[in-house]
Amino acid sequence: MERFKSNGGGHVNSAFDPNLDEPPIYEETEFSNDEHRTVRPSVISAFGHDTLDRVPNINFYRNAGSVSGHRAVRPSLQELHDVFQKNGRISVPETVTDNDEGSEGTPSDDLESAAPSDVKDGAIRFGWIRGVLVRCMLNIWGVMLFIRLSWVFGQAGWGLGIVVIVLSCVVTTITGLSMSAICTNGVVRGGGAYYMISRSLGPEFGGSIGLIFAFANAVAVAMYVVGFAETVVDLLKEYATLMVNEINDIRIIGCITVVLLLGISVAGMEWEAKAQIVLLVILLVAIVNVFVGTALPPTEDKKSKGFFGYNKKIFMENFTPDFRNGETFFSVFAVFFPAATGILAGANISGDLRDAQAAIPKGTLLAILITGVTYLAVALCVSGTVVRDATGNTTDLAFPGLPCNGSAAVACELGYNFSSCATEGCKFGLMNNFQVMTMVSGFGPLITAGTFSATLSSALASLVSAPKVFQALCKDNLYKALHFFAKGHGKNNEPIRGYVLTFIISVAFILIGDLNAIAPIISNFFLASYALINFSCFHASYAKSPGWRPAYKYYNMWLSLMGALLCCVVMFVINWWAALLTYGIEILLYVYVTVKKPDVNWGSSTQAVTFVSAVSNALSLAGVEDHVKNFRPQILALTGSVRARPALLDLAHSITKNYGLCFSCEVFVGQRPEVLQEMTSGMEKNQLWLNKTKRRAFYAAVACDSFRKGAESLLQASGLGRMRPNTLMIGFKRNWRTAGTEAVQSYVGILHDAFDFEYGTVVLRMSQGLDVSHFVEAEEEMLKAAKEQQILDGEMMPNGGKAKGLFRKSRNSSQQVLTTRVSVCGPPPPQVAKMNERLVEASAQFKKKQPKGTTDVWWLFDDGGLTLLLPYILSTRKKWKDSKLRIFVAGQPGRTEIDKQEMRSLLHKFRITCSDITVIDDIHVRPHDDSLKKLEDMIEPFRLHEGSKGRDQAEGMQKEYPWKITDEELSTFEEKTNLQVRLNELLQEHSKSANLIVLSLPIARKGSISDFLYMAWLDILTKDLPPIMLIRGNHKSVLTFYS
């Protein structure tokens, strides 16, 4: 949606494609609203006539992406509706020049779906084979293939072994399907798993998983390098050529290896991709070598070590499980599953793919299929050729008469007796020898080369993935302290700083880490990422947002949910304490990001589900009748701008808090074209201010010809279903005597409208006043002046603040901008300054904790209980807990104790406690003459004085001044008028020191009491008192003593 600046309506949305052909010729144009844009004269359109409308174009649908330059924009609705002419011809804006500013008070649009500005010409981009398929296969084909796969099938048998591999593939395949759906639902930028999760579930989930996923990849580099170093050290031990000792040799070789891998990575993605191809070739040769070896006739030495070639009896013997040394199916599964955790290797470099949307699904799913089939084929070949136990002794031959049973029976039939393995530990066979693949292969050194290739390729992939994911996380600035690592270098925007950090982490774990203990944590970190990818797909599908339209259709929301649950189960299967640690770290990071509230909006599925839930709950609530027990005040506060009357907003928010609706409403008075733009620009700014200051309220605004009509619209149309305001809160009009007839009639008319629409009504008066809008305007003016000063300084000091000579002189003269603006308002007189100081202090009165004191409730008329309920609600708030309730009621002379006991009994049934109950039995006494004199002076300018005139003259005066107070009116309502004066005297006597006074609001009967007399009532009633709330319910019960 197009946004406007509040100072002129300049567009800030972008749609510029840097890859377009030659740009058209543009003209600089100034519009009537001081808007400066680049436009292109309209041409005869596809419709055959000159029109402002434009045909659909992809450039109109791009988000903000470039820092500056021309951006294509479609004509706005205002431009089409209010057609403008320029030099006798229609002009339509084609682009907008961006100055890198968003709407005032609003965040700039996010950048993920625009062409990234930091991508430079000549950047290397990979297709789905080199970019995804090769990387995923290399990462999945790890050392597990050559070292532990035979042990897994020895323990579990090939029956359950197939289940282990298939279950692992099921988890990864479901994750791959979910990932395919997510990444085909829009443009995928750099960041891989972090990008997909954060854009689907929001910054809270993305920020938490992104950090631990990047850390997991960094530590995985150390794990894979140590695996490589251990293999090298085993060779050194075999030839007795250790440099120092076993552990230190692993550290030395590991550090050297990481340095070499870092050099390849820093050299650029092209060199890293070439290295991956070389490693893939070696790995493929090693795998083929295993298949060739199993088909070759076994030598006597290999037979003694348990390899007999393909044999049906060996195959059937290895079908059943034979768990030993406390192993179970789940422990064996936990050993194998980390081999399947390489499916994100391609997605992690999503920013370097030519077409990530097509490459990630195709490459990842095909990699899962190829590697899964490879694991099964290699495992089954070994299971059909090698027995579980063998001595390795060529003299252990089977002779007739020697006992030969159990697992050794098959070997006996083939000429070898390995029955001694049942009592003595053997070093060969599937169960005992991790080098089975080397033994069965056609050429043993190739398996060693394959092991090197598997470890180095996985280490290289992790070394590239960690900085890329970390850089994407840092660019989003979810963690302010990490923004240093967002900077990229070179044509591919390489995260050099991230590479260095990953190098430091990996070296640290190589030198000091216990990798056997850290391995399950890393596996759980990867699984947590898989679980959230699956949950992201389910969540987005469940929300049924119209924006969820993945091009990849072969997914199912319930399958994705099952995949997420499977990942969580597998986390506990692998290691329960590591799973708990992973969840703990993720929850802490989630809470951190939530508390920090990053200023981003990615249109996550969390927002969509929140909306769906809100609509569903609102509809459910609409079918339920209101009940007095569930009544809660829903306040519509006429505050104007959210910063204009802070005391009114704070008091309303204290009542509703997080448990009721609160609307901060503003009416823009004037002709619609004049005020509509100002209202539109202020909507988001005001709501953002409410959110930022933690006021749980909604901002609503209307544009109308008159204030009363606007308020009437708000009273009738605000809310949704049962979630509608039921209480109007408005500030007392202090300037009613000077505001003019129309303003007073409008104000009193709003109160009449509230009564007509059966709203509870609250009028708040503070002696210092409520309106601080002039301070807000002055503050904004100062900020604007300071901004202009900063711009001038930037223009006149091009050397980064190190100006000399002429520039220094120019800078001094630019100070005139600020001085000129400030001098307009000048320092106020001391008396005015003191009043302003008191006003600012009073405006924050309800924001802070209330001092010890009382809240005096003068419940004079039964209005359904709202006059009692609102102060009770306030007393439950933390800021008001030291302000005790005191109840004042009117009573008859001689019945004081009876009236007090009745009120105490009623409050007891209402479960409302108070510190004191006072019965006023002299409320009917005539007020003092000086008090009446104050009222007479107050209304004198508005009296008609028709009693002293003739009949005809009096009628003429009433027609000419129908709003004035007549003598007849004063006479008719003399008692009620005197009551207001008397009440003020009693309030002065009893409640002068209260923190807050709550008083029943007198009602003016329509057509009988003039607006000025009613305002005089309210004024004299509340004059010279602490903050006072006049409350009148809608005379429907809001309190009950029934359960």
Side-chain angles (χ1 to χ4, degrees), residues 89-137:
R89 56 180 180 174
I90 299 177
S91 298
V92 56
E94 289 289 345
T95 65
V96 57
T97 303
D98 181 34
N99 56 3
D100 201 25
E101 293 179 3
S103 300
E104 285 189 23
T106 66
S108 298
D109 289 339
D110 53 286
L111 309 179
E112 67 268 9
S113 57
S117 59
D118 48 17
V119 173
K120 300 173 177 60
D121 293 337
I124 304 300
R125 291 288 178 266
F126 301 109
W128 70 274
I129 295 178
R130 289 180 66 193
V132 182
L133 179 64
V134 170
R135 292 173 187 279
C136 288
M137 287 195 303

Side-chain angles (χ1 to χ4, degrees), residues 397-664:
L397 301 175
F399 296 103
L402 289 176
C404 193
N405 49 41
S407 63
V410 174
C412 287
E413 294 181 17
L414 296 174
Y416 279 82
N417 186 356
F418 299 140
S419 56
S420 62
C421 292
T423 56
E424 301 174 5
C426 294
K427 294 183 179 180
F428 298 96
L430 293 177
M431 301 290 280
N432 310 303
N433 184 15
F434 290 156
Q435 301 297 329
V436 166
M437 297 298 178
T438 304
M439 179 190 69
V440 302
S441 65
F443 184 59
L446 277 179
I447 300 301
T448 303
T451 306
F452 288 170
S453 174
T455 52
L456 291 177
S457 62
S458 297
L460 192 57
S462 297
L463 185 59
V464 170
S465 298
K468 294 282 185 182
V469 174
F470 192 58
Q471 183 187 35
L473 174 66
C474 296
K475 275 185 176 181
D476 288 333
N477 209 18
L478 302 184
Y479 303 97
K480 305 289 185 185
L482 301 179
H483 192 64
F484 171 79
F485 296 96
K487 183 174 176 57
H489 300 269
K491 60 185 181 181
N492 263 56
N493 194 37
E494 296 293 344
I496 303 298
R497 296 171 179 177
Y499 281 129
V500 173
L501 181 63
T502 304
F503 170 77
I504 293 171
I505 293 173
S506 58
V507 168
F509 277 94
I510 288 171
L511 294 178
I512 64 173
D514 181 0
L515 295 182
N516 289 331
I518 212 77
I521 300 177
I522 303 308
S523 296
N524 273 276
F525 281 0
F526 286 127
L527 276 168
S529 305
Y530 295 174
L532 281 180
I533 288 174
N534 283 304
F535 185 72
S536 298
C537 182
F538 163 76
H539 207 250
S541 303
Y542 177 77
K544 292 183 170 55
S545 171
W548 174 250
R549 302 184 301 275
Y552 188 85
K553 302 298 182 183
Y554 304 104
Y555 73 96
N556 180 274
M557 60 183 287
W558 300 112
L559 193 64
S560 295
L561 179 62
M562 186 184 77
L565 295 175
L566 270 176
C567 290
C568 294
V569 170
V570 171
M571 288 174 69
F572 282 95
V573 167
I574 290 178
N575 191 297
W576 65 268
W577 63 262
L580 291 177
L581 181 63
T582 303
Y583 286 129
I585 294 172
E586 188 172 339
I587 290 171
L588 285 175
L589 292 172
Y590 179 91
V591 170
Y592 173 83
V593 177
T594 303
V595 169
K596 289 298 183 181
K597 295 190 185 315
D599 197 10
V600 295
N601 181 7
W602 294 324
S604 66
S605 61
T606 305
Q607 295 173 346
V609 168
T610 302
F611 179 83
V612 171
S613 300
V615 171
S616 177
N617 291 334
L619 290 172
S620 300
L621 200 60
V624 179
E625 296 242 352
D626 288 331
H627 194 281
V628 62
K629 286 196 298 183
N630 292 324
F631 174 86
R632 62 184 72 223
Q634 322 276 24
I635 295 179
L636 188 153
L638 290 176
T639 61
S641 169
V642 292
R643 299 178 62 189
R645 292 168 179 81
L648 188 68
L649 179 60
D650 288 335
L651 189 60
H653 182 253
S654 295
I655 295 171
T656 59
K657 203 66 175 174
N658 301 329
Y659 315 107
L661 283 176
C662 181
F663 290 89
S664 175

Side-chain angles (χ1 to χ4, degrees), residues 376-413:
L376 280 174
V378 170
L380 290 175
C381 287
V382 174
S383 298
T385 57
V386 183
V387 295
R388 280 194 168 100
D389 298 289
T391 60
N393 191 345
T394 54
T395 61
D396 287 340
L397 301 175
F399 296 103
L402 289 176
C404 193
N405 49 41
S407 63
V410 174
C412 287
E413 294 181 17

Side-chain angles (χ1 to χ4, degrees), residues 822-840:
V822 176
S823 63
V824 172
C825 297
Q831 184 180 359
V832 177
K834 188 68 175 175
M835 291 174 60
N836 289 342
E837 185 181 341
R838 288 200 297 267
L839 174 58
V840 172

Side-chain angles (χ1 to χ4, degrees), residues 11 17 33 68 104 111 154 158 206 236 295 344 462 509 551 581 589 600 646 716 744 866 874 878 970 1002:
H11 293 269
D17 184 358
N33 60 352
S68 61
E104 285 189 23
L111 309 179
W158 62 265
L236 294 178
L344 294 179
S462 297
F509 277 94
L581 181 63
L589 292 172
V600 295
Q716 293 186 86
V744 172
L866 188 66
L874 280 177
K878 190 180 296 184
L970 277 178

